[in-house]
Each structure stands twice: as C-alpha cells, then as structure tokens.
Amino acid sequence: MTEFFEVHERDGAARLGELRLAESLPTPALADNVLRDAGSLWEAEHEHPEGSEEHVTMLPHRGFPPGTDPEVEAAFAVDYPETEFASGAVVSPGTARDHGADVYALSTAQGVVGHASAFVETILELKEATPADTALYLSGVATPANAALLAYAGIDLVDAVRAAVRGTEGRYLSTDGAQFLSDLEELPCPCPACARPISEFTREHCAEHNANALRAELARVRARIREGTLRNYVEGQVRHSTWQTAAFRTLDTQWGYLEERTPIYRRSGLLATTEDALHRVEIQRFADRVTARYRSRFDAPLVLVPCSATKPYSDSQSHGQFHDAIRYRGHVVSMTSPIGVVPQELECTYPAQHYDSAVTGRWSEEEIGFVAEVLERYLTRNEYPRVIAHVPEEGYREIVERATGALGIDPEFTVEDHPTTDESLTSLSVALSGEPQYRKRERQHNTVKALADVQFGEGAGETLFPDIVTESRYPKLRAHDRDGDQLAAMVPQYGTLSLTLAGARRWVESEVAVKRVAIDGFVPRGTVLAPGVLDADPEIRVGDEVVVEGPRAFAIGRAEMFGREMAESTRGVAVDVRHVEER
C-alpha cells in the first residue's frame, strides 16, 4: 500500500504529486535531498534499513543495465520486503511489478534517455507494471532542457547529477540546451550562482547554476500541470533537441497510454500553433467521437462554414451573419484546423470552444489532409439531401472537394469572394430558398441528444432522452422528462451533460454502457476517496460522468481519476460526488 506518495492533479501522463515526508515535497521535483540509498547487493549484502520520516529509503537492490538477458534478471531479482516507512525499489522493465514501494527507480534510465523509441517503450512498460499511485524516478538524466518532456511522459522524480556533471565539464545549461562556459560573454541567468562577474564564474559555479536552472524548470513544469497547459509548453520545448522531438512524436503514437490519462475536458485553453497539435489526444478523440458516435438529427441541407476566432462560434459576428442568411433552414457544421468538423450542437464541447490556432490564411498539406479525412468520415456517416459549402477559396474549398469527390457528392459553393460579403450571404440565402425551417426547440432537443451521443456513446441521445422537455436558454439547457423531473443540465463551459439522480437511474436502466464505480459500505459525502473504491470501469476517464454504487449508496458524480487508477490507488480523490441517495 502506498502511504507516502499521493497524486493531486493530472495533465495527461504528467502528475502533480506530493511525497509525504517530514517536510512535504511537491512533484515533479529534484529528489537529491530526499532519497537515501541503502546500497547495492552487487557489492555486498546489506541489512534491512530502519528508514526515516525525513526521506525515502531506496531498499538494497540490484540494478540491471539495458539489454540484460531476462533469465539473468529473473535469477538475480530482488524480493523487496514490506516496510512501514517511505521506501523505493530499483527496477528494470523486466523486474518491475508491485513491490509495495512508494517510489520506483529505473536502473536503465541513462541507457534509454537520448534514444526516442527505447525511452518511450521503457516508460510504458514501467508504468504498466507498477501501481498507478506510485512515483517514478529517473536518475542521472535530467537537464533544464529535457525536464518538461520527462514530466510529460510521466516521470515524477529526477536528480541534478547530470546537470552538475555538465557544469564541472564547463557546460552552461539552460532550457534550450548547453553552451561551453568558455564561449559565454555574459551570464544570462539571475540565479545566485550567476550573481558575479563572468570573470569570476568557475566550473563549480556553473554546476551550481545548472542545478538551479533545473530546479526552476521543474517549478515551471509544476505550474504548467496546475494550469493544464504542459502539452502547450512541451510542443515548443522539445524543438531544441532532435531526440526529444522524436520521443515526443513517438509518445503521440502511443494512443492507449496517453488517451487513458487525458481528461475529457480541461479548464485551460488548447494552443494549436504547430502541426503536432493535430496528434493531440483531445483533437483525435473529438474527431473520432464526431465521426463514430454523433449523428445529425436535422432533416435539412448541410451548410459547411468556416470557423471563427470567437468561441463558441455562434457568438462571433461572422456566424451571426451566417445565421441571418440560413434562418434555421440548414444544419450548420464548421470546418477548422486542428479540430476537423464541428456540428453546431457541439460547438461548446471541449476542445471546440477552447482551442486557439495561429491564423495565417494558409493551410499546410497535413492540415488539409486531416480535415478532409474527418469531413469524409462525417459525410459517410451522415446523409444529407444537399451539401452547401459556404467557405473561402483558400484551403477550405480543396478540403470540401477532396471529401465530397471521394464520395461522389456534388457540393454547391456559395462564396463569391469572402463568406461575409453581401454578395456571398445573398447567394447562401438564395441557395436555401424553398427549404423549410426547423424550430428552435428542435435544435435544443437535438443539442441535448448530440451531447449524450458524444459523451456516453452511439445512440445514447435517443435512448436516454427520447421524450425530453428542454428548459432555460442555450447554452444552459436543462433536460426534463414528461413528468417534469430534471434528468440533466448542459454545462456550457465544457459542452457536457451533468446528470441528476433521475438521469443516472435512467442511464443504469438503459442499454447504454454505464461507467460504474463500485464502493464499500458507506455513504459518500462530497467525494469518494480511492481507498473506498472496490472496482471501477477501465473505460473511465478524468471528467467522465460516473455512477457510484455500493451496499448503502447510489450516486452520480465526476471522475477525478481514470478507471484503472481508481481501482489501484490507495490515496486521493477518485470521484467528485454531485448527488447521492442513501439506500
């Protein structure tokens, strides 16, 4: 059981945690002053250490270098004892398992950091083999330049060994790499080690500066995790190193690892300024759900329009002009990079309302290819009597032609020069003349059902809300049944549905897959802590609606951990409970 490490916040695979020692240490952090090594068993036998509340004791161990034969590892593997103090175990991918430790140190760290594929493969193997609520420590590899990537991959603890060694070698480290001390004409850092004339700056001072720079970078990383913006930062940071860029992109191919740990929404914005943003879990997940779960319920022509800088799109001036021309006679779907396509019912759903991209008016081939593929998948799933493309020439038209050409659809283009000119808006209105209008109430009903599809699964909208009555105004819709009982409310900040107990019961009684958390015999008040979780659906993601069930309680709430983490963890909040009913 993990007693001395707890994860408080998550940003994908990165975690903001705490080592609970006599003096608490927030992680990711330098572990130099909190780890004590009880010794290597390769050198000599060591007695069982006493431990201390001041530090984490690395239990007597045998480390294995990369490439060690599995039979050798198995023959010399250490059987770590249970302890009542904060302890650490040294493991390789072949010997990693639940040893009851709070911290796991990777013995092969220096052999894999610098090699993209080996690094990613090793981290994934280690994370799969060790408990989700334990800290991962990599020794002798961290620098100010790679600390953000290490944290992004899921590393909690590092040390200043490499940074100090580089300093004694005369290498001055910063977040964008290293310079030879002899090449410096001035000291660009305000840390205490650099608070002297460069003529008096020695290699010892350089080692001190390097450690200070690493410590400062880890503080910056912790701040980014709190904000939920570490990915934004890492996309730029890895550009300073070829191996980091390769490792970062290799991580992006590990969908299972990152998707499981990525929340369904964030409080922060999503910055899309590089083509790597197209591979973000949030982008790919939204595109997958729109093209596999969502289905249009409008009996009207499809009207494709460009996105806007203002979010949600309907608040923008341009989309207001589109609305005045369309007048509920067409189903509006926005096209955008890096999101793909956004049906009007999902314009508030993360990340459609939360992204910000660099607008140049020019589309890259990768952007065109991605959006065209998403649009083609969307059109394959949703049949429309007509496809009207009210889009500009640059980029958008090529996307529409690629997607519709592959399906044999003949789109109608209505933009003369720019989508918001009088001529173009008139052309759009004329193209829709004779089309019947749908009611505003129909749009509200379809919005609730579309949100349910995307959030709970294909067909959930019709199954959970076949006979709803909507109240309040968009985007703060409330869904009631015919008897007046509220089932759900739309959360406009994230474009999700928040269920009531009545809605939760309807969910449980339906054929829609339910994300359940089984608890012990207690009635949760406000939260469910991980020790009280008996089992959890592995499909649960942070931010998901979950049903909490136990011998004494039925509740609905929001997941604060992903499913496997709930089932494995011994500390931390698993579910934020909204409504509870005592049995």
Side-chain angles (χ1 to χ4, degrees), residues 247-267:
F248 173 72
R249 291 177 175 170
T250 303
L251 265 174
D252 269 352
T253 66
Q254 300 301 317
W255 170 261
Y257 178 71
L258 290 181
E259 192 279 330
E260 182 180 41
R261 292 162 171 80
T262 301
I264 64 167
Y265 60 79
R266 301 176 188 269
R267 299 185 299 271

Side-chain angles (χ1 to χ4, degrees), residues 224-423:
R224 291 285 187 166
I225 295 173
R226 290 187 191 97
E227 297 168 358
T229 60
L230 182 60
R231 167 75 188 222
N232 297 347
Y233 179 64
V234 172
E235 280 190 16
Q237 186 60 23
V238 298
R239 293 297 191 275
H240 301 300
S241 164
T242 53
W243 93 262
Q244 286 192 64
T245 302
F248 173 72
R249 291 177 175 170
T250 303
L251 265 174
D252 269 352
T253 66
Q254 300 301 317
W255 170 261
Y257 178 71
L258 290 181
E259 192 279 330
E260 182 180 41
R261 292 162 171 80
T262 301
I264 64 167
Y265 60 79
R266 301 176 188 269
R267 299 185 299 271
S268 58
L270 187 156
L271 191 62
T273 55
T274 73
E275 290 189 2
D276 284 320
L278 293 172
H279 305 286
R280 290 185 66 147
V281 167
E282 300 95 322
I283 301 297
Q284 296 291 330
R285 179 192 280 158
F286 184 84
D288 288 344
R289 291 187 175 188
V290 167
T291 56
R293 295 185 177 187
Y294 167 86
R295 189 177 296 281
S296 173
R297 294 173 169 83
F298 291 95
D299 185 16
L302 169 64
V303 181
L304 295 169
V305 298
C307 64
S308 68
T310 300
K311 315 289 189 313
Y313 301 137
S314 59
D315 288 348
S316 69
Q317 182 177 357
S318 61
H319 279 243
Q321 292 173 298
F322 300 156
H323 174 76
D324 290 342
I326 297 169
R327 297 172 57 195
Y328 298 105
R329 295 176 295 173
H331 180 218
V332 177
V333 173
S334 300
M335 297 167 54
T336 178
S337 175
I339 304 297
V341 298
V342 183
Q344 61 187 19
E345 308 98 297
L346 304 179
E347 65 169 1
C348 291
T349 300
Y350 185 88
Q353 186 184 187
H354 308 80
Y355 77 97
D356 194 9
S357 59
V359 179
T360 64
R362 297 181 178 180
W363 292 66
S364 71
E365 174 57 34
E366 187 170 3
E367 289 177 304
I368 290 174
F370 172 72
V371 180
E373 178 193 358
V374 175
L375 179 57
E376 182 181 340
R377 286 158 54 192
Y378 178 87
L379 291 172
T380 300
R381 180 172 173 81
N382 296 279
E383 294 185 9
Y384 290 92
R386 301 166 61 193
V387 175
I388 299 172
H390 190 73
V391 295
E393 180 74 24
E394 180 67 36
Y396 286 99
R397 184 165 185 139
E398 182 177 350
I399 290 169
V400 173
E401 289 175 341
R402 281 195 193 185
T404 57
L407 300 174
I409 297 173
D410 188 17
E412 305 168 43
F413 292 96
T414 55
V415 171
E416 302 294 334
D417 39 27
H418 188 274
T420 58
T421 62
D422 289 343
E423 293 79 6

Side-chain angles (χ1 to χ4, degrees), residues 86 308 451 523 548:
S308 68
L451 294 178
V523 180
V548 179

